[in-house]
Amino acid sequence: MSNEGYEPGKVKVKNNAYKFEGAFHHIERNQPILNEKGDLVGVTNPRNMTYVHTYGGEAVFFENLSKGKIIASRCDNKDCTAFGSIFMPFRIHCPDCLSRNTHVDITDIAKTTSRVHTFMITERTGAFNTLPKPIKFVNVEFEGVVTILMGPMLFGRPEIGMKVVPIFRTKDPTYTILDLGWVPKGTKESDLPEFYTFDA
Amino acid sequence: MSKPVYMVTGGMSKFGRAQPDKRTEELCIDALTESAHFIDMSPAELKKYIHTAYYGHFADHFGDQLLGESVIHDRLGLDPLGNIGVKTGGATGGSTIWEAYKTVASGYSDCTLAMGWERMDEVPTDEGNHLISSAADKDWETPLGHIYTGYYAVMAQRYWKVFGKEEDSFRRTMAEIAVKNRGYGRMNPHAHGGKDISVEDVINSPVVAYPLRAYDCCLMSVGAACVLLADERTAYKMCDDPLRIDVGAGSHTLRVACRRNMEIPLLPHETKDQYNDLADRFPGSERYPGFSGFLAARMASYYAYNMTGIHDPTEDLDVVELHDAFTISDIQTYEDIGIRPYGDGRTYVESGDCYHTNPHTGEPGKLPANLSGGLIGNMHAVGATGIMQVVEVGQHLWNRWREMHADEEKWARFGRTKPKDWKDLQVKGAKRGLAISHAGVGSHVTATILQHPDHVLDRRGSQ
Ligand SMILES: [Zn+2]
């Protein structure tokens, strides 16, 4: 991704506070908007700014994707109605008892039991999309997990019931959900998109 | 709720894909002015009754104005009355009415304004899609294409396969909804989605995300709508025939991914064992609500029916306005709110019950749906949508739908041509109606019930 004409802002943490360095916004001249007769109807308001986002207790999930691992979470509170439930999407706290969930590595479960519950293919995307078009989503069921994860299918054509396996952006990771993708079981390593591998 | 609540009046602006000739406040003033004139008052006379104001608009970043509610409140000249903003995505309009309702029911306010709007024309469509997608989970969903339609389409795909069984006949039933609602939109001077199209036009329109095609999808709009709610004493001072109003609400996980399995909660007319064979009839439907039902819609209608004594919505209601974001989600909603049992939603369309005039019999439809044109044929100016629906249902119950839609002066003022084959869609003798306001993949839903004061059910369900 390019950042034409300016250095992207970077953030460090010092004494448990964010330290901002570089440009987090840049200023562009506004423009008038005229109707067909040449009358003023409004103006443009250019704005380009970068936000910071805190992962908190979810950081462990996003950090491990680039290491080829899927970390889920489980309620281990024996008194909870959801005792033993494994959550993926990762939940920091159990939605029922609100106790802190235990981290569970479900990489092997994902490699061996993942099936497409449903899927979607579209040419349409919103601004800031970075996935190749057409974009394809799969919603993946795992054995022993109570929820169904949505992610991008990065090779092949999805079908309901299809067995799929995870792939990881182990090279040049984004540290976002885009570091996790899905391909049909049996896909060759050579067919994976740039930066993605089956294992770390 | 302790005190009965009444809807006194309501009004709407013109709706359009873009309205570069008007600021948002002008659209809101248009809506308030229409609601004043509807009960033969000037805006200044109407304003004297207002005690509290609730404002709904879905996205601050569409308008690029935090505290946009405060701007509108000032321009409506309602300072120093207390006011507050409401935001629940696509259900914002319904939620705004829900909040206003509670202020009157509790006795806090004797007359409350609920006003909603959206301004979706001030960014290019792809940026608009990005902004809408930021209402999905920013870590787990938004980075996936920045396209909300995609997060919904996975649900449509599942319903299409499991309940539609990928049948051509089901595909045509979906298309019928698009044809119906665009056709009704033609009769509505406020609407910008009216169009005379065929089932074939829908089936041949470009694929957005299979099985959804362009004509299966709702509009993106600019406009405003409002209603005024009041307690009994105030309502009868303001007009002769205020409508009883009650609102129920439900919610479900923002991420569809996080839904866990549960038993189907039953509506008043459903029976304990009625869904025992659902998975045999529709293999793949073992999970509830899974990816094919909206638990929030079921809960909202469960509360609303029990609050008002509605037993069977198809029997007890006369007109509905549903949140037809997509043709297939409209069918899903028929089941969630009990117009049809789970699995049988399509029959509401195929029977002709959902039409103003049943195309098979030529008789009045049993429970006409979306005579405004809905989100597909009228508009989806998000914060205004759920309020527009309630105004439309109210006009049927007041027997004033014709007056508000036939007026040549209104068609001309909105710069629109009244069709030569314009048809009066008034539901004759309508006593009770329902509006469903729905957010995205089902995070928030409200169910608003309007009843004519001469036909209020008691809570045991008899008149
Ligand atoms: Zn728990």
Side-chain angles (χ1 to χ4, degrees), chain A residues 6 25-31 44-48:
Chain A
Y6 63 100
H25 64 273
H26 67 118
I27 299 164
E28 209 178 281
R29 178 79 161 80
N30 77 313
Q31 303 289 331
T44 64
N45 280 325
R47 194 159 316 132
N48 185 323

Side-chain angles (χ1 to χ4, degrees), chain B residues 198-210:
Chain B
S198 67
V199 164
E200 280 66 35
D201 291 335
V202 181
I203 293 172
N204 294 324
S205 64
V207 171
V208 173
Y210 195 83

Side-chain angles (χ1 to χ4, degrees), chain A residues 75 77 80-83 94-99 101:
Chain A
C75 175
N77 173 4
C80 176
T81 48
F83 171 66
C94 169
D96 289 358
C97 67
L98 302 187
S99 60
N101 279 345

Side-chain angles (χ1 to χ4, degrees), chain B residues 16-39:
Chain B
R17 174 65 187 91
Q19 303 207 48
D21 56 338
K22 290 211 172 188
R23 284 177 77 100
T24 306
E25 71 200 54
E26 295 174 270
L27 300 166
C28 292
I29 288 171
D30 287 348
L32 191 73
T33 302
E34 183 171 283
S35 66
H37 292 167
F38 189 76
I39 50 172

Side-chain angles (χ1 to χ4, degrees), chain B residues 158-313:
Chain B
R158 185 78 191 178
Y159 189 94
W160 161 248
K161 293 258 160 98
V162 171
F163 291 100
K165 302 188 173 180
E166 302 181 82
E167 292 171 2
D168 288 343
S169 60
F170 182 76
R171 176 55 268 194
R172 294 185 72 83
T173 300
M174 287 166 59
E176 260 195 65
I177 297 166
V179 173
K180 171 178 80 77
N181 294 358
R182 281 193 175 69
Y184 291 152
R186 291 179 61 235
M187 310 305 160
N188 184 352
H190 296 270
H192 73 101
K195 202 166 183 184
D196 193 6
I197 56 167
S198 67
V199 164
E200 280 66 35
D201 291 335
V202 181
I203 293 172
N204 294 324
S205 64
V207 171
V208 173
Y210 195 83
L212 300 172
R213 292 173 180 269
Y215 276 138
D216 287 304
C217 304
C218 68
L219 302 159
M220 243 187 183
S221 315
V222 176
C226 70
V227 293
L228 280 114
L229 309 187
D231 63 21
E232 189 163 288
R233 197 176 62 89
T234 311
Y236 278 96
K237 266 202 283 185
M238 295 172 75
C239 72
D240 295 332
D241 53 354
L243 305 173
R244 272 290 293 271
I245 184 168
D246 289 283
V247 192
S251 74
H252 206 194
T253 57
L254 180 69
R255 298 183 291 228
V256 184
C258 292
R259 295 175 169 195
R260 287 181 281 167
N261 291 353
M262 61 183 288
E263 281 185 32
I264 300 177
L266 299 176
L267 294 177
H269 65 308
E270 293 181 329
T271 54
K272 192 168 152 279
D273 298 324
Q274 106 169 57
Y275 291 118
N276 289 354
D277 65 345
L278 193 66
D280 298 329
R281 292 166 58 214
F282 301 100
S285 68
E286 295 79 6
R287 287 176 186 255
Y288 180 85
F291 274 46
S292 50
F294 297 116
L295 177 63
R298 175 130 294 219
M299 292 314 294
S301 53
Y302 173 88
Y303 283 120
Y305 297 164
N306 282 296
M307 287 160 83
T308 54
I310 285 174
H311 180 72
D312 178 344

Side-chain angles (χ1 to χ4, degrees), chain A residues 41 45 47 53 55 58 61-62 82 85 87-91 95-96 117-131 135 137 139 141 146-152 159-160 177-178, chain B residues 20-21 64 125-127 129-130 137-141 143-147 149-151 153-158 161-162 206-210 214 253 255-261 284 287 290-291:
Chain A
V41 297
N45 280 325
R47 194 159 316 132
H53 176 43
Y55 274 151
E58 261 181 52
F61 170 79
F62 292 104
S85 295
F87 299 98
M88 175 67 358
F90 183 98
R91 297 184 83 107
D96 289 358
H117 181 71
T118 185
F119 67 93
M120 181 279 335
I121 303 170
T122 185
E123 288 286 345
R124 297 206 184 179
T125 54
F128 306 110
N129 170 55
T130 54
L131 291 172
I135 55 171
F137 301 159
N139 302 73
E141 300 171 10
V146 297
T147 50
I148 296 176
L149 178 69
M150 181 163 70
E159 279 300 329
I160 287 178
I177 193 70
L178 298 176
Chain B
D21 56 338
D64 193 21
T125 302
D126 65 339
E127 288 180 21
N129 277 322
H130 160 70
D137 186 290
K138 71 191 259 183
D139 288 320
W140 294 75
E141 297 174 327
L144 304 176
H146 299 252
I147 184 81
T149 311
Y151 319 142
V154 297
M155 304 179 69
Q157 180 83 256
R158 185 78 191 178
K161 293 258 160 98
V162 171
V207 171
V208 173
Y210 195 83
T253 57
R255 298 183 291 228
V256 184
C258 292
R259 295 175 169 195
R260 287 181 281 167
N261 291 353
R287 287 176 186 255
F291 274 46

